[in-house]
Amino acid sequence: MSNKSFLSLLFSWTVLWADQPLNWDTLPALPNQLGVAGSFTGVHQDAFIVAGGANFPLGVPWEKTEDGFNSPKFYHDQIHVLAKNGTEYTWRETEVSLPRSLAYGVSVPTPNGIICIGGEWQDHQRDAKNKVYQSTQGISDNVFVIRWEGSVSISHKWIAPNDEKEAVLDLPKLPKPTTALAGTIIGNKIYIVGGDSGDGATKNFWMLDLDNRHSPEKFHWKALPTWPGPPRTHLLVSTQHDGRETSLLMFSGRTKIDGRWKMLTDGYKYIPSQNKWIMLGPIQLKGDENPRCVMAGSISKMGTNHLAVFGGADGKGFLYLTELADQISKAESTNDKEKVSRLKKDQKDFLNNHPGFSEDILLYNTVTNRWSTYGTLPVKSRVTTTAVQWAESIVIPTGEVSPGIRSPEIWRMTPSIHGNGFGTMNWTVLSLYLLVIVGIGVWVSKKGKTTDDFFLAGRRIPWWAAGLSIYSTQLSAITYLAIPAKTFATDWVRFLIQLGIIACAPIVVYFFLPFFRRLNVTSAYEYLELRFSLAIRLLGSGSFVIFQLARMGIVILLPALALSAVTGLDVVMCIILMGVLSTLYTVLGGIEAVIWTDVLQTVILLGGAMVALVIMVLNVDGGLAGAISMASEQGKLNWVNLDWNLTDDTLGVILLGAIFTVLLPYTTDQAVVQRYLTTKDEESAAKAIYTNGWLAIPGSILFFGLGTMLFIYFQQYPSQLPPLDKADQVFPIFIVDVMPAGLAGLLIAGVFAAAMSSLDSSMHSIATVLTTDFIKRLRPQQSDLLSIAKKLTFILGVLGTVSAIVIASIDIKHLWDYLMNIIGLLLGALGGLFMLGIFTKRVQSNHAWIGVIGCVASLWWVKNYTDLNGLLYGAIGTGSCFIIGLLVSILFPQQQKDLRGLTWTTRNQD
């Protein structure tokens, strides 16, 4: 048996994805017991609203009523509100109705109300003489908002919370009355697509920017470039993130071409940032001979990169009935009564025994551009309705179950926690790994007797181990998950950033390392006092401590969320497991335990990733060469963006980012600098830096390659990629659901390893800085620093663990992001401070302070008032601090202090 066959056999045992289990239940049925089709639906203020719609209250349209009348379609103006009270749902009566009876428009839910657009209406007069209902009909261009604030209100204004009502303009009418259209919203821009404006299917594509609601000159519908395909009605439109940005996606529909109906099976994507459409190809599942038409179905976002299509009509019944109607018309024109009777009987038989619509739930992945099935609907499918997101669920209200027949049922779908279970073998492997790293802490603890042992491992760490530890420290679990996820969704443009250490390693070794080693410091920030002042030292160390304290919770929370999603283990348990074990071996063994566990973790990280890559290569068509060819054809291997701007990942931005993203942590981050100080001499420290640098090349190729191979793999096996809550779950999903038992445990151990490596580095480096820069410096009489350092490490481990649990339990992530941004402004100045200290002689403490203030102000302005790429922040922060500090020193010179051994030009002076 070949290796590929063997791996495929293992896959057949471990991949259990088929139809995904979805939790379906019903909410109270619509008060209109017949149900309606084409209603305006949405959620506002946690209330579910169904307004308008159409049905046949007198009976099915192909049969006469009891008194011999025809049975026309009636349009409604009622507004029904399903209110939630705890776990109870009740329909609330409302006296407010729509401006007129209306159906088949589009509704766009927003936080400030449901915007209802277009549609059609019919009015009926009973003609007793001819026993028919005479109808007048029309198409609407009206745009209005339905709100729920304990009661229903309808307005022609879209009013945000801080708006003055009088200053808000009425929503403009559509450029043309349109029905059977589709629409969605991106940001505050509403997009309307397709529909019938009175002469059949159109290529309408209009946009209304709600942010212009105060400007008469700008608040109007704008025509945008149309898609490169036929016009259509009954189309499906939604938005979803495609890995790069949120785009508009359009599928299916129907149209008439040269007098003949055509059922559409195509898809298109509109990219707002480029104002252009691209063709996505047919709606076709792997293994299907023909693409699918899903016209008049319902569509909704699901997860971070998926769209779910519920049901839809394949058009075969519509074409059959249309052909019958044409034949009946021709037979009537020739007065062939027998043929007319036979054809009408065929028509009634088909309608009375209509097979219904597709009950499949289809998934479309916006990254891989592939379709798969995701189970089936629990009841007969319905069309001309809207799938609405309500909290964590998707609600499909009422709708048409077959021609002329509606259902009042309201169905709710809640995605269940997916996964095949982590398995005994995987738990065994993971448990063994965790026991080993605790054992390392116990073993090393027997050596650590002094503060020098705890902080610097007695300077006995081999250069290669220190190099591996630096690499492991910089490669957090977030990075371990994020690089493959980012490359899966995009390309290799950010690859050069990972190679920045190759360019920066000589700079670090030649210009910075001598000062850390020759001055015999324990904390990197000791240099700032020697060169400037105690206040500057405390600024640097304080900024580092606060940032690391804030970061610790995120460092273990994000991988814990990913691990919980794929293993089924509770998030809090994941956090506690990582936090307790990291704290335990760090307290026991100090920096030496941290470094040796980092060495093991590096092996696990890289070894597990290589195994995953090999498995993917062996199980895709064409192997490695085929994967490279397919990735290249789809632009997934692009690694240079030659555009000229400072907002995108252009070559210039990437090169600057590569230098400063690497240079700053390798020169100002205690967690990294401390590794330089654990080797026996400067030469060994230099070797450690170069070891880490050269390891970055194969490591970067490996992790970027993983992302590309995940893309190719899930293109070929789309059903194995379920909707993900977070983009960075794509690699863990592959690990748990695809990889053989045992190997999956090894790779999940790698995620744990990366998270704990970051956490132990933060804990220990903070303890080192607090002990060295604050306690020892400010209270020199303090004894027993080793005991204090261990207690601090323990407290920090508890704080990091608890903060992760708090962030996971309470929705304060935005507050946390804000805090991190504020502290990041101060950290941006550290690189400038070290450069001012090393490369200038005239800059003194006061000048440095002004440089720091200028740096913080510059970064604050850039972050809040420009669209500059975040990769430039390091260069801006370092450059502004250096330039401002230097200029101030030239304008306002001060007497120099003794700088022997403290600057580049005086480095060899004693």
Side-chain angles (χ1 to χ4, degrees), residues 20-26 378 393-394 411-417:
Q20 295 300 319
L22 300 173
N23 296 323
W24 289 94
D25 64 344
T26 56
S393 302
I394 296 174
W411 280 88
R412 177 175 60 180
M413 184 277 288
T414 305
S416 59
I417 297 176

Side-chain angles (χ1 to χ4, degrees), residues 580-850:
V580 168
L581 292 177
S582 298
T583 303
L584 179 60
Y585 68 72
T586 305
V587 169
L588 287 173
I591 189 65
E592 192 165 8
V594 170
I595 288 175
W596 285 114
T597 53
D598 283 351
V599 170
L600 175 61
Q601 288 160 354
T602 301
V603 174
I604 296 292
L605 286 169
L606 298 180
M610 283 190 285
V611 170
L613 187 64
V614 168
I615 287 178
M616 280 186 271
V617 168
L618 291 176
N619 283 273
V620 298
D621 295 340
L624 181 60
I628 292 174
S629 175
M630 287 181 280
S632 179
E633 290 172 0
Q634 299 177 74
K636 300 297 289 185
L637 299 182
N638 294 340
W639 63 280
V640 174
N641 180 351
L642 296 178
D643 290 344
W644 290 98
N645 64 70
L646 298 179
T647 57
D648 299 324
D649 289 345
T650 57
L651 181 60
V653 171
I654 291 294
L655 291 177
L656 275 174
I659 294 171
F660 285 92
T661 299
V662 171
L663 190 60
L664 292 180
Y666 281 84
T667 56
T668 67
D669 188 336
Q670 173 67 22
V672 179
V673 172
Q674 196 165 346
R675 267 68 173 177
Y676 309 160
L677 309 177
T678 60
T679 59
K680 65 180 181 180
D681 52 33
E682 187 177 327
E683 181 182 357
S684 297
K687 288 182 179 179
I689 294 171
Y690 284 121
T691 298
N692 165 70
W694 289 111
L695 192 59
I697 296 177
S700 298
I701 293 173
L702 174 61
F703 288 111
F704 275 77
L706 272 175
T708 302
M709 284 305 305
L710 283 166
F711 174 81
I712 298 299
Y713 180 86
F714 284 124
Q715 273 200 327
Q716 297 189 11
Y717 302 94
S719 62
Q720 293 178 18
L721 181 59
L724 307 176
D725 290 332
K726 304 290 182 184
D728 58 12
Q729 292 173 356
V730 64
F731 187 30
I733 285 289
F734 174 84
I735 292 170
V736 174
D737 291 337
V738 176
M739 292 192 67
L743 289 177
L746 180 68
L747 266 80
I748 291 298
V751 180
F752 271 91
M756 290 191 291
S757 175
S758 298
L759 182 60
D760 62 33
S761 295
S762 293
M763 275 191 288
H764 193 273
S765 58
I766 294 173
T768 302
V769 166
L770 289 175
T771 305
T772 305
D773 291 339
F774 289 90
I775 297 174
K776 182 179 178 181
R777 175 63 182 83
L778 301 178
R779 300 179 62 185
Q781 75 279 9
Q782 181 69 50
S783 60
D784 198 13
L785 291 177
L786 176 60
S787 175
I788 292 173
K790 289 193 172 188
K791 290 176 182 177
L792 281 173
T793 304
F794 175 78
I795 293 170
L796 290 165
V798 173
L799 282 175
T801 305
V802 170
S803 66
I805 294 172
V806 170
I807 301 170
S809 305
I810 305 173
D811 188 17
I812 59 170
K813 295 184 180 65
H814 295 301
L815 177 62
W816 214 262
D817 290 341
Y818 179 75
L819 173 63
M820 296 287 279
N821 283 332
I822 295 298
I823 301 166
L825 297 178
L826 290 174
L827 286 179
L830 283 180
L833 284 175
F834 276 92
M835 291 183 68
L836 283 171
I838 291 172
F839 297 114
T840 71
K841 293 173 62 178
R842 64 184 309 121
V843 175
Q844 303 304 308
S845 178
N846 289 340
H847 306 137
W849 270 110
I850 296 173

Side-chain angles (χ1 to χ4, degrees), residues 367 482-492 636 703-708 711:
V367 174
I483 290 179
K486 182 70 174 177
T487 314
F488 167 79
T490 57
D491 50 31
W492 284 52
K636 300 297 289 185
F703 288 111
F704 275 77
L706 272 175
T708 302
F711 174 81

Side-chain angles (χ1 to χ4, degrees), residues 379-442:
V379 290
K380 289 188 71 173
S381 176
R382 62 279 313 275
V383 296
T384 58
T385 185
T386 305
V388 178
Q389 291 187 320
W390 192 5
E392 302 299 320
S393 302
I394 296 174
V395 177
I396 303 178
T398 184
E400 179 180 333
V401 294
S402 66
I405 300 175
R406 282 42 171 158
S407 169
E409 293 179 337
I410 311 290
W411 280 88
R412 177 175 60 180
M413 184 277 288
T414 305
S416 59
I417 297 176
H418 98 282
N420 306 324
F422 198 43
T424 303
M425 178 66 75
N426 290 329
W427 281 117
T428 301
V429 171
L430 178 59
S431 300
L432 287 173
Y433 164 76
L434 297 176
L435 286 173
V436 167
I437 61 171
V438 173
I440 290 174
V442 174

